[in-house]
């Protein structure tokens, strides 16, 4: 049933204003591109066609359930009206506005939550990759899939499915339902395009500075090289594969030519196995309706149910090559409720499709690494000897205990005649919603359905070859070894030499740097092998290095935002010892403290230098970043106050007339101000129930009284985070004026009384 809602009708849970009976109604959906509903309706005598107007909403069956589309184009002639409509989710292009949204080091689901927060739209994503993006003064559609570098699709990847007011962006839009197509001959209803322009079956790898494989055959061949009539050879440059002598200190490298060549071979093989460069690119444009007229139709019958993003295997029997393709465009007939045509394109996996654990920037911080180590210390103690070696018998004992428990289960089990069993609860409202498949090949567990609702998303499997899961959750992971040549552990990317984690840091001067923590046995340095090294892309200076001989070296941290990235939990202060003279000698500078709070070139740099001179032992001298004395430093901030300052003498405050301007004597208006203010007694909340009585003023009252009598005064200040503050010393001058005024008044009254008494006595 195809219904239409007038532009003013937003109750889409109920039936529409009328039911339409169009002559044509199709939905053409292109992967990560436009979705368009096209509708044609006769100009009928009942006037139903008059409901087809700009802004109206059409509800129609689609390949992923009933969907809402907003009409944006209408054409009318004497006999027929035609309308084009877009998915209603794209209304977000007009009725959302992101003032300043910054998803920072989060996964796909969290990023969508932040982008769509406070709107009527929702999003879901299974993308575990973490990334960062800034969205300012733009709509949600632009943020998700706009032509900007920081769009969700560019930063997190994924493929889009619109589902009314919800958007689904998973690593892959559809599923794999075992569809196999055999091509190699032209049949009615299918146009095929085979592209070998990028085909490569022999890679000649080349590293940085031109290093290659040695010998008479300096190449790596594809397992499919003999399936083609000619050898497709390509030189591939791996500029990131470097010898130690050619690499920068912070770059991963290889100490010998032999090690470098092994890496070239490994990377070349990955191009065949993961990037499929040895397989021709296939595009099939299939008219499903025309295929019904050919004898081979039974081989294509499943295409009627194919959804956008679903995968199919294209088999070239002549060459013995199978290529996985994806439905990159689907046209669905809403009237007949079936797929009308499909375009299958060469499947182009992104990095996170084949390697969901290898992420460029991780979400967890160094603290997680510490927890991971601490949680396993007890197990390490159990399986290690006093000299630090591994006790194999203790390890084997743990494994044997597990095997004994499983053996008991096997003994108690009863043999069944069936090979596999599927348990499932399809009610989303049920607490038991999910599926479990048990068979002779293993166990599969799922908790969510695919976006098209046709299958379960099987994310966990236990087989004879091991456990496969998108995520493992538990307090302990126990075993003899964890082996991985890619992926991440606790947010650290696994590299060829160890583990590495990178933070993007944006300075106040607009430049972007990186902070990198690397745990490795070798970092490319010819003089020292580092165990732990934290460094910045600002120059080549490191922040912290712990070497294998136990030495700990520190250096200056230049990036202001590192504090906010979870690497340092306290404000950034660096202490540099000056050994140019006697450390504590007369007139020397034992040490200085520099606080970086605004970027490398910011005026907010401050330095306090502790030095000794002839008359004062221990003087803190405020300096700017160039070492010039600068007394504009503040002690604390409105939201970071000191509780008490204990002094033997009163503070000395600058009061040089040469440093003041607009000097005026106070006048009678000050008396109006003094009359308007009200003193109070009070207790401070943070001092508890036994707090002593204090005396003072209320800053808002003072501010209001000043504005009514003498204008804005510096004594009152307000901070959004800290609230009101008051400088009590500012009251000394007006109170002094009031006292002087009263003294003069008293003296005049006394003189008048004296004169009156004298006159009376002489009367």
């Amino acid at each position: 049933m195809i219904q239409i809602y007038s532009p003013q009708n937003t109750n889409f849970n109920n039936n529409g204003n009328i039911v339409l009976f169009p002559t044509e109604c199709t939905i053409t959906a292109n992967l990560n591109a436009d979705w368009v509903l096209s509708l044609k309706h006769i100009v009928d005598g009942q006037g139903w066609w008059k409901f087809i107007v700009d802004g109206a909403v059409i509800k129609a069956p689609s390949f992923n359930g009933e969907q809402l589309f907003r009409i944006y184009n209408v054409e009318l002639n004497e006999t027929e009206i035609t309308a084009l409509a877009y998915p209603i989710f794209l209304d977000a292009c007009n009725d959302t506005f992101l003032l300043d949204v910054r998803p920072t080091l989060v996964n796909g689901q969290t990023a969508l939550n932040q982008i769509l927060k406070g709107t009527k739209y929702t999003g879901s994503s299974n993308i575990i990759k973490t990334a960062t993006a800034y969205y300012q003064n733009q709509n949600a559609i632009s943020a998700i899939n706009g032509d900007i570098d920081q769009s969700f699709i560019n930063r997190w990847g994924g493929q889009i499915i619109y589902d009314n007011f919800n958007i689904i962006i998973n690593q892959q839009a559809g599923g794999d339902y075992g569809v196999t197509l055999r091509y190699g001959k032209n049949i009615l209803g299918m146009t095929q395009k085979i592209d070998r322009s990028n085909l490569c079956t022999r890679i000649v790898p080349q590293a940085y500075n031109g290093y290659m494989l040695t010998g008479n055959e300096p190449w790596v061949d594809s397992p499919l090289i003999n399936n083609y009539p000619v050898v497709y050879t390509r030189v591939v440059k791996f500029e990131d594969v470097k010898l130690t002598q050619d690499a920068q200190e912070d770059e991963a490298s290889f100490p010998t030519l032999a090690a470098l060549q092994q890496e070239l071979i490994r990377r070349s093989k990955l191009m065949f196995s993961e990037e499929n460069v040895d397989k021709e690119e296939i595009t099939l444009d299939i008219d499903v309706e025309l295929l019904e007229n050919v004898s081979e139709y039974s081989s294509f019958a499943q295409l009627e149910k194919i959804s956008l993003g679903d995968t199919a295997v294209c088999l070239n029997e002549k060459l013995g090559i199978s290529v996985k393709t994806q439905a990159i465009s689907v046209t669905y007939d809403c009237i007949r409720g079936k797929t009308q045509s499909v375009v299958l394109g060469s499947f182009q996996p992104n990095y996170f499709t084949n390697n969901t654990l290898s992420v460029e920037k991780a979400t967890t911080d160094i603290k997680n690494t510490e927890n991971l180590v601490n949680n396993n210390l007890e197990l390490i103690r159990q399986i290690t000897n006093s000299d630090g070696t591994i006790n194999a018998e203790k390890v084997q004992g743990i494994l044997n205990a597990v095997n004994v428990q499983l053996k008991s289960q096997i003994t108690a089990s009863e043999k069944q005649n069936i090979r596999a069993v599927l348990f499932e609860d399809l009610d989303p409202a049920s607490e038991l919603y999910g599926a479990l498949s048990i068979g002779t090949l293993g166990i599969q567990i799922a908790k969510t359905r695919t976006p098209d609702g046709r299958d379960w998303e099987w994310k966990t499997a236990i087989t004879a070859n091991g456990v496969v899961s998108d995520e493992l959750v538990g307090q302990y992971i126990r075993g003899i070894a964890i082996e991985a040549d890619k992926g991440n552990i606790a947010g650290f990317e696994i590299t060829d030499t160890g583990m590495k984690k990178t933070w993007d840091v944006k300075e106040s001067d607009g430049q972007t740097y990186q902070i990198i923590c690397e745990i490795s046995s070798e970092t490319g340095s010819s003089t020292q092998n580092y165990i732990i090294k934290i460094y910045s892309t600002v120059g080549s200076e490191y922040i912290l290095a712990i070497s294998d001989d136990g030495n700990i070296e520190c250096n200056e941290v230049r990036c202001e935002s590192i504090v906010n990235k979870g690497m340092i939990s306290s404000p950034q202060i660096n202490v540099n010892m000056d050994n140019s003279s006697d450390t504590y000698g007369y007139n020397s500078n034992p040490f200085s403290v520099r606080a970086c709070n605004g970027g490398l070139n910011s005026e907010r740099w401050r330095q306090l230098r502790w030095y000794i001179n002839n008359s004062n032992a221990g003087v803190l001298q405020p300096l700017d970043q160039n070492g010039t004395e600068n007394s504009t430093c503040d002690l604390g901030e409105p939201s970071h106050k000191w509780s008490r300052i204990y002094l033997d003498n009163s503070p000395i405050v600058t009061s040089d007339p040469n440093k003041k301007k607009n000097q005026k004597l106070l006048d009678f208006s000050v008396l109006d101000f003094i009359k308007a203010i009200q003193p109070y007694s009070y207790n401070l909340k943070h001092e508890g129930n036994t707090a002593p009585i204090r005396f003072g003023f209320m800053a808002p009252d003072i501010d209001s009284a000043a504005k009514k009598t003498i204008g804005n005064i510096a004594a009152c200040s307000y901070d959004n985070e800290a609230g009101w503050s008051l400088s009590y010393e500012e009251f000394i001058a007006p109170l002094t004026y009031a006292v002087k005024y009263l003294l003069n008044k008293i003296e005049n009254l006394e003189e008048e009384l004296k004169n009156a008494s004298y006159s009376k006595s002489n009367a």
Side-chain angles (χ1 to χ4, degrees):
M1 183 169 62
I2 301 172
Q3 306 176 62
I4 191 166
Y5 298 77
S6 65
Q8 296 76 29
N9 186 356
T10 59
N11 192 353
F12 303 117
N13 292 324
N14 292 341
N15 291 331
N17 292 81
I18 63 166
V19 176
L20 294 178
F21 296 93
T23 56
E24 293 182 20
C25 185
T26 60
I27 296 172
T28 299
N30 298 300
L31 195 60
N32 280 15
D34 57 307
W35 288 32
V36 178
L37 179 144
S38 177
L39 178 142
K40 292 183 179 181
H41 197 285
I42 63 172
V43 177
D44 57 280
Q46 295 89 340
W48 293 343
W49 63 274
K50 295 180 181 179
F51 284 87
I52 305 174
V53 295
D54 283 342
V57 173
I58 296 173
K59 180 188 285 188
S62 180
F63 53 84
N64 61 328
E66 277 194 329
Q67 297 297 318
L68 300 169
F69 288 81
R70 176 86 64 186
I71 296 176
Y72 67 89
N73 180 277
V74 175
E75 292 185 6
L76 175 66
N77 59 37
E78 294 180 354
T79 60
E80 187 179 59
I81 187 169
T82 302
L84 301 178
Y86 58 73
I88 199 165
F89 187 89
L90 296 183
D91 279 354
C93 185
N94 299 313
D95 61 8
T96 62
F97 188 77
L98 309 184
L99 189 64
D100 190 356
V101 177
R102 305 189 176 197
T104 304
L105 289 175
V106 297
N107 60 24
Q109 182 62 65
T110 303
L112 284 179
N113 291 344
Q114 294 182 20
I115 292 171
L116 300 173
K117 182 179 179 181
T119 72
K120 62 185 176 183
Y121 306 98
T122 59
S124 62
S125 174
N126 65 2
I127 297 174
I128 65 173
K129 170 190 175 181
T130 60
T132 297
Y134 297 156
Y135 305 116
Q136 294 176 303
N137 301 330
Q138 58 186 287
N139 61 68
I141 299 303
S142 175
I144 291 173
N145 196 23
D147 187 18
I148 58 174
D149 174 66
Q150 298 202 31
S151 71
F152 182 98
I153 295 301
N154 285 336
R155 289 299 173 94
W156 282 269
Q159 298 176 347
I160 296 174
I161 294 291
Y162 296 111
D163 186 12
N164 294 319
F165 291 95
N166 183 50
I167 189 171
I168 303 169
I169 310 180
N170 288 339
Q171 292 175 11
Q172 182 177 333
D176 187 347
Y177 304 106
V179 179
T180 300
L181 306 176
R182 289 172 170 81
Y183 67 92
K185 59 181 180 180
N186 292 322
I187 61 175
L188 185 65
M190 183 169 68
T191 302
Q192 51 190 322
K193 177 183 177 182
I194 301 175
D195 184 3
R196 294 183 179 177
S197 59
N198 296 319
L199 187 64
C200 175
T201 57
R202 172 170 290 169
I203 294 176
V204 181
Q206 190 177 84
Y208 181 80
N209 263 354
Y211 293 105
M212 301 175 62
L213 302 180
T214 55
N216 296 327
E217 298 182 352
W219 52 68
V220 179
D221 286 345
S222 161
L224 303 176
I225 192 170
N226 295 322
N227 293 64
Y228 298 95
V230 297
V231 175
Y232 296 87
T233 305
R234 187 198 308 175
V235 176
V236 179
K237 295 183 179 180
F238 298 97
E239 293 292 341
D240 59 324
V241 179
K242 300 181 179 181
L243 281 176
T244 297
Q245 64 194 43
D246 299 326
Q248 299 293 325
E249 186 177 358
D250 59 349
E251 291 182 312
S253 60
F254 300 89
T256 64
L257 180 60
L260 178 141
Q261 291 174 336
Q262 286 299 315
E263 176 65 8
L264 290 177
I265 295 173
R266 187 184 75 87
R267 294 280 291 274
S268 299
K269 290 181 177 179
L270 286 177
M271 290 189 66
F272 295 132
S273 62
E274 294 190 357
E275 299 182 31
N276 296 317
V277 298
D278 54 349
K279 296 179 180 178
E280 53 200 4
E281 296 179 7
I282 310 298
T283 302
L284 301 178
D285 193 344
I286 303 171
D287 189 322
V288 178
E289 292 185 341
L290 287 178
L291 287 176
E292 295 177 350
N293 302 321
V294 301
S295 59
E296 295 93 340
Y297 173 68
S298 59
S299 301
F300 302 93
Q302 295 183 66
L303 290 174
E304 291 183 0
K305 298 180 180 180
I306 201 165
S307 292
L308 188 67
D310 285 354
T311 57
V313 174
C314 293
L315 179 61
N316 188 325
E317 295 177 329
K318 182 178 180 180
L319 295 179
I321 297 172
S322 62
V323 180
K324 184 167 284 190
T325 60
Q326 189 173 21
I328 59 177
S329 179
V330 171
T331 299
Y332 187 84
D333 189 332
C334 304
I335 299 174
R336 300 172 64 189
K338 59 185 295 185
T339 300
Q340 181 174 302
S341 63
V342 179
V343 177
L344 297 171
S346 294
F347 185 64
Q348 299 293 338
N350 58 42
Y351 183 67
F352 297 97
T353 300
N354 287 332
N355 184 13
T356 58
L357 293 179
S358 293
V359 298
E360 298 168 341
K361 297 181 180 68
T363 56
T364 54
D365 55 24
I366 295 177
K367 188 68 176 177
N368 288 342
T369 306
E370 296 174 0
N371 293 337
L372 183 65
V373 174
N374 292 335
N375 288 340
N376 287 279
L377 284 178
E378 183 59 34
L379 177 61
I380 293 173
R381 295 190 188 100
Q382 294 178 16
I383 65 174
T384 53
N385 300 317
S386 58
D387 60 357
T389 59
I390 298 295
N391 188 324
E393 293 181 357
K394 292 182 179 180
V395 174
Q396 192 60 48
I398 294 175
L399 298 178
N400 287 341
V402 176
N403 288 333
V404 168
Q405 292 176 333
L406 295 178
K407 185 67 174 178
S408 300
Q409 175 180 302
I410 296 172
T411 304
S413 62
E414 296 183 7
K415 186 174 181 180
Q416 302 294 321
N417 293 326
I418 54 179
R419 297 179 180 178
V421 179
L422 174 63
F423 303 90
E424 63 179 359
D425 185 340
L426 295 171
D427 181 6
S430 171
E431 294 182 356
L432 301 178
Y433 180 70
L436 170 66
S437 173
I438 303 175
T440 55
L441 296 180
I443 300 173
Q444 284 182 288
I445 306 171
K447 196 64 178 175
T448 57
R449 300 283 288 179
T450 56
D452 58 13
R454 294 164 58 194
D455 194 8
W456 293 97
E457 288 190 348
W458 302 102
K459 295 185 177 181
T460 302
I462 303 174
T463 71
N465 296 324
V467 178
V468 179
S469 177
D470 283 1
E471 184 176 356
L472 295 176
V473 180
Q475 186 174 3
Y476 300 102
I477 298 178
R478 298 186 175 184
I480 298 175
I482 298 176
E483 297 181 3
D485 59 358
K486 57 187 177 181
N488 77 82
I489 297 178
F492 281 81
E493 179 185 355
I494 299 174
T495 66
D496 295 327
T497 57
M499 295 194 299
K500 182 170 69 174
K501 181 177 180 181
T502 302
W503 287 263
D504 280 336
V505 177
K506 188 171 184 179
E507 298 286 359
S508 58
D509 58 8
Q511 299 187 57
T512 300
Y513 307 103
Q514 288 184 323
I515 299 297
I516 303 169
C517 176
E518 188 169 350
I519 304 175
S520 62
S521 59
E522 185 176 56
T523 63
S525 172
S526 59
T527 58
Q528 186 175 24
N529 291 329
Y530 290 98
I531 298 174
I532 300 177
K533 184 179 180 184
I534 304 175
Y535 54 94
S536 168
T537 55
V538 182
S540 59
E541 297 180 348
Y542 57 81
I543 301 167
L544 172 69
I546 304 176
S547 60
D548 51 7
D549 59 5
N551 290 330
I552 300 177
E553 300 182 34
C554 300
N555 206 337
E556 184 177 354
V557 180
R558 293 185 179 273
C559 292
E560 67 189 67
S561 302
I562 184 175
V563 177
N564 300 322
K565 299 302 177 183
M567 293 182 64
I568 295 179
S569 59
S570 61
Q572 180 83 34
I573 296 179
N574 307 304
V575 178
N576 302 320
M577 301 303 295
D578 185 355
N579 298 319
S580 59
S581 60
D582 252 345
T583 305
Y584 295 100
Y586 191 66
N587 277 340
S588 67
N589 300 328
F591 66 88
S592 62
V593 179
R594 298 182 66 187
C596 166
N597 194 29
L600 182 60
N601 300 313
S602 173
E603 295 179 357
R604 295 175 63 195
W605 276 73
R606 294 292 182 263
Q607 176 172 318
L608 294 176
R609 185 168 63 192
W610 179 284
Y611 69 98
I612 300 173
N613 62 19
N614 294 330
S615 58
N616 298 290
V619 179
L620 284 175
Q621 179 188 15
L623 308 174
D624 61 19
Q625 71 181 83
N626 298 317
T628 305
E629 184 167 2
N630 187 339
S631 60
T632 61
C633 300
D634 294 333
L635 184 62
E637 292 180 333
S639 58
H640 300 92
K641 294 182 174 68
W642 294 80
S643 177
R644 290 186 180 91
I645 298 178
Y646 294 93
L647 302 170
D648 284 335
N649 298 297
S650 299
I652 306 300
V653 180
T654 297
S655 186
D656 189 338
N658 295 322
K659 296 185 178 181
K660 302 176 181 179
K661 63 180 181 179
N662 301 328
Q663 300 155 356
K664 297 178 182 179
L665 291 173
L666 297 184
D667 55 28
F668 287 104
S669 62
V670 173
L671 297 179
D672 295 330
F673 169 64
I674 295 298
K675 292 177 183 179
I677 64 176
Q678 179 65 43
Y680 291 84
S681 66
Y682 57 88
N683 302 110
L684 290 175
K685 292 181 179 180
H686 70 268
E687 292 182 342
N689 297 328
T690 59
I693 296 175
R694 297 180 180 273
F695 302 101
F697 304 102
M698 300 298 146
D701 294 350
I702 300 295
D703 184 67
S704 176
K707 289 177 179 178
K708 292 178 181 178
T709 56
I710 58 177
N712 292 327
I713 59 174
C716 298
S717 62
Y718 180 77
D719 180 80
N720 288 332
E721 183 176 351
W724 285 94
S725 297
L726 194 63
S727 175
Y728 279 85
E729 70 170 11
E730 296 282 342
F731 292 89
I732 295 175
L735 288 174
T736 300
Y737 180 88
V739 170
K740 287 182 65 177
Y741 173 82
L742 291 175
L743 288 174
N744 290 333
K745 193 79 170 176
I746 291 171
E747 290 176 354
N748 292 334
L749 289 173
E750 288 177 343
E751 185 67 26
E752 290 177 6
L753 288 173
K754 182 179 178 180
N755 293 335
S757 177
Y758 176 78
S759 299
K760 185 176 181 180
S761 63
N762 292 331

